[in-house]
Amino acid sequence: GNSVTQMEGPVTLSEEAFLTINCTYTATGYPSLFWYVQYPGEGLQLLLKATKADDKGSNKGFEATYRKETTSFHLEKGSVQVSDSAVYFCALTGGGNKLTFGTGTQLKVEL
Amino acid sequence: EAGVVQSPRYKIIEKKQPVAFWCNPISGHNTLYWYLQNLGQGPELLIRYENEEAVDDSQLPKDRFSAERLKGVDSTLKIQPAELGDSAVYLCASSQRDWANEQFFGPGTRLTVL
């Protein structure tokens, strides 16, 4: 079946540091890949997505590239802010729009 | 545009009691999902509706969980009786019908079973 593996958190960074959160996946066929973010006390929000190999999703300074050869979809941001503190989930859809999530990575950004 | 609405936001009950969660999806979204999120884990799908039809309920523990989506709009998820292990966040999401469309999530209901 489909599965997603994320790096464990928490990840603690200073403001303006570079962020990478690793995500790898196992899936049959050609899944779509997503990053969702969950701010404290709020619901999950779609951050970015990519639907085919070599696509790059981007939003709010975050980027991730769909790498089929390494089955990866790593999340990056060049300069994090305190307001980016949240839990980040990597996910994929197979057939039927069923989302399979990773376990989430908590990011803490300090001044 | 209003987002996905869920109520209650928090619920504390004793084991063996029944509990129900309510979800109102975004207007016009045909597909509705219920997810279970345990502490420190990602959400896991319990059931998916296309309009009023449950098209994927393979992960729903049917001995104690039930769900309905009358008229293809609002949905209710029920647990009877609740067990200690049911303590978790129950998330509702909705999307338009097309495949791979974005799912919009509600804030969730945090259930604590004592």
Side-chain angles (χ1 to χ4, degrees), chain A residues 30-32 34 36 38 41-46 49 51 89 93-104, chain B residues 9 33 35 37 40-45 48 56 58-59 91 95-96 98-107:
Chain A
Y30 303 95
S32 293
F34 305 81
Y36 278 82
Q38 189 170 33
E42 299 184 14
L44 285 159
Q45 302 173 27
L46 179 64
K49 68 178 182 181
T51 58
F89 291 91
T93 53
N97 210 22
K98 177 178 179 177
L99 274 169
T100 299
F101 287 88
T103 55
Chain B
R9 292 292 309 275
Y33 314 77
Y35 288 87
Q37 185 176 17
Q41 300 293 317
E44 298 175 11
L45 182 69
R48 174 169 68 97
D56 184 356
S58 57
Q59 302 302 310
L91 297 169
S95 69
Q96 294 178 343
D98 295 338
W99 182 84
N101 255 310
E102 177 182 352
Q103 295 184 27
F104 293 82
F105 284 80

Side-chain angles (χ1 to χ4, degrees), chain A residues 31-61:
Chain A
S32 293
L33 302 175
F34 305 81
W35 277 100
Y36 278 82
V37 58
Q38 189 170 33
Y39 297 102
E42 299 184 14
L44 285 159
Q45 302 173 27
L46 179 64
L47 181 60
L48 54 84
K49 68 178 182 181
T51 58
K52 61 183 187 296
D54 299 325
D55 268 2
K56 177 185 285 188
S58 61
N59 185 25
K60 300 181 180 180

